Amino acid sequence: MSIPIEERLQLCRDFWNGAEQKHPLIVFRMDEIFFSKSFRALDPYLHMGTKMTADMLDVPKFLPDYERMYQELLDVPNEGIFSADPCTGIPWMEAILGASVEGTNVSFVSHPCFHDVEELDGLTFSRENPWYQKYLEFSRELTKLSDGRFPVAQPILRGVTDTVGSLMGQQDLVWGIIDEPERMIKAFDVVVDTQRALIEDQYKITKPFHGGYNVGFYHVWAPGKVFWFQEDLAALLSPQHFEQFLRRTYNRYCEGYDYTAVHLHPTAFHHLDGIMSIEGLKAVQITNDANVTDIETLFPACKRVIEGGKRLMLGMGSFSKEDLDLILRKLPRHSLELNILVKSADHAKELMDYIVHHS
């Protein structure tokens, strides 16, 4: 049975306020780990080597997928809030900045459009870019579809290292950091400018939901405007590089938003000290990667986040009952949210019953 909306909104407020919780804020998703496969409208393009252009995405054909996803969660004991986000799986930032997009059997990849670091001097963005406009078209149509039933939010959008690493290749990203720091700083600034413009334009289209907005993809509501970003390739940088390149971009990303988050993998835990010192950053999302066979190995970093005054969003992945038992026994009872992938509504109810009984 669905949890009443006012109760869910209050649970989300408690999470952001760092209030003591009976158990972590629980958000269930029934999508596949490759989220592109959740969109039946993408089926014609999920084939290796399919060349994609923005006009191939016929937004009205996606609306039944979003309606299905919304309806599927109505019978799930979710404590978060479903949001519709412009087609997760599309590498929006890379495409907007000039990369080509290609389908695979499970998702989409981008290909570099710059072949040496000097070419980055020509990196710019335009609001007239077809991918930029397609993102906003999704936002408009999803806002109409919602009709106040759920918020519209941002999907995964890649941060400066991820985006530039895709535009020029990961190896050249590293060499650029070492050999051409000023050029890289300018390129990173263009990425921040692009993402901030995109989200600002999205907010001109979308509407608040009960006075707030969602951390898109993770389905956590917040009582204000939200901005979040992914920074996977920060794993290739040192803590010294964080200070040289990423501190300023993190600050710029967070500027003007009360609820902000960064997506982090265990491979980037060496940046936790730097990340925790970003005053404007509200939350850290840590992914329990498939190769993490013992979730307890994540707990030192999890505690570091919570005890440092940030909110922790743990997931997106499957959690066994043994995992949940360890989390309930060993992590703090505040400032914690879990994103759990489940196979069905019955699976979600089974896990929620376990969480409630063992809390």
Side-chain angles (χ1 to χ4, degrees):
M1 179 181 293
S2 178
I3 298 172
I5 184 66
E6 290 300 334
E7 183 177 342
R8 285 183 280 152
L9 294 172
Q10 187 57 51
L11 289 169
C12 288
R13 289 190 191 95
D14 289 345
F15 165 74
W16 290 113
N17 290 334
E20 195 72 13
Q21 302 162 280
K22 292 181 180 178
H23 55 75
L25 181 69
I26 303 297
V27 178
F28 292 112
R29 292 283 299 266
M30 286 197 289
D31 303 302
E32 300 190 38
I33 192 62
F34 292 105
F35 292 93
S36 296
K37 297 189 72 174
S38 300
F39 292 97
R40 293 167 186 163
L42 286 177
D43 286 348
Y45 312 119
L46 289 176
H47 303 284
M48 195 65 67
T50 304
K51 307 294 184 184
M52 294 294 297
T53 57
D55 60 359
M56 294 168 69
L57 300 179
D58 187 352
V59 176
K61 290 184 178 179
F62 286 79
L63 301 184
D65 288 320
Y66 287 101
E67 184 67 30
R68 169 178 48 80
M69 294 174 193
Y70 170 67
Q71 294 292 337
E72 283 176 347
L73 290 173
L74 290 179
D75 195 37
V76 170
N78 250 332
E79 295 181 338
I81 304 291
F82 169 82
S83 66
D85 319 319
C87 199
T88 298
I90 295 295
W92 292 106
M93 288 295 296
E94 302 93 304
I96 289 168
L97 287 168
S100 60
V101 178
E102 188 174 287
T104 72
N105 292 333
V106 294
S107 190
F108 297 89
V109 295
S110 62
H111 295 293
C113 54
F114 298 106
H115 304 291
D116 59 61
V117 69
E118 288 83 5
E119 290 185 8
L120 284 178
D121 292 345
L123 181 63
T124 59
F125 85 95
S126 168
R127 284 182 162 88
E128 302 309 311
N129 176 280
W131 289 102
Y132 193 104
Q133 288 300 315
K134 183 62 65 172
Y135 182 99
L136 297 182
E137 182 186 350
F138 267 100
S139 300
R140 283 191 294 271
E141 294 303 316
L142 290 174
T143 300
K144 293 176 187 176
L145 176 69
S146 163
D147 193 27
R149 295 177 298 161
F150 48 80
V152 176
Q154 71 171 79
I156 298 170
L157 294 177
R158 305 185 79 186
V160 295
T161 58
D162 282 7
T163 300
V164 175
S166 294
L167 294 174
M168 66 186 304
Q170 296 183 19
Q171 181 172 311
D172 284 340
L173 167 72
V174 174
W175 287 121
I177 289 288
I178 295 170
D179 294 334
E180 297 279 359
E182 292 304 316
R183 276 196 165 99
M184 298 302 289
I185 287 171
K186 290 179 181 178
F188 287 172
D189 279 344
V190 173
V191 174
V192 178
D193 291 343
T194 305
Q195 190 166 344
R196 284 185 61 88
L198 184 66
I199 299 308
E200 287 166 9
D201 285 347
Q202 184 179 26
Y203 273 122
K204 294 174 184 176
I205 294 168
T206 61
K207 298 178 180 179
F209 182 80
H210 291 266
Y213 296 88
N214 254 35
V215 181
F217 186 68
Y218 296 108
H219 293 182
V220 178
W221 179 86
K225 286 189 174 180
V226 171
F227 190 105
W228 75 276
F229 56 100
Q230 171 179 306
E231 203 75 81
D232 287 358
L233 290 187
L236 302 179
L237 277 60
S238 70
Q240 291 74 26
H241 290 141
F242 183 95
E243 293 300 321
Q244 184 178 2
F245 295 96
L246 299 185
R247 175 171 296 280
R248 63 191 305 276
T249 63
Y250 277 47
N251 283 328
R252 288 197 62 208
Y253 273 138
C254 296
E255 183 179 352
Y257 291 91
D258 292 325
Y259 298 93
T260 56
V262 62
H263 160 87
L264 196 67
H265 287 271
T267 51
F269 280 171
H270 57 287
H271 291 308
L272 264 182
D273 285 346
I275 289 170
M276 293 301 297
S277 68
I278 303 296
E279 292 186 7
L281 187 69
K282 191 74 169 180
V284 176
Q285 191 280 325
I286 292 177
T287 298
N288 57 325
D289 291 327
N291 62 351
V292 176
T293 56
D294 180 1
I295 199 168
E296 202 165 359
T297 62
L298 302 180
F299 287 2
C302 293
K303 291 177 181 178
R304 171 83 176 88
V305 170
I306 295 173
E307 292 169 1
K310 308 294 187 190
R311 308 299 172 253
L312 173 65
M313 302 162 63
L314 183 58
M316 173 84 64
S318 59
F319 289 81
S320 68
K321 291 179 180 178
E322 291 75 19
D323 292 336
L324 294 171
D325 187 58
L326 286 169
I327 290 168
L328 294 171
R329 288 192 292 110
K330 298 196 173 186
L331 288 183
R333 291 299 181 97
H334 63 87
S335 309
L336 176 60
E337 180 265 343
L338 303 182
N339 278 99
I340 305 176
L341 285 177
V342 292
K343 301 172 184 176
S344 63
D346 287 342
H347 186 201
K349 292 171 187 175
E350 177 186 352
L351 291 184
M352 182 59 88
D353 286 345
Y354 185 88
I355 290 166
V356 171
H357 180 75
H358 289 81
S359 296

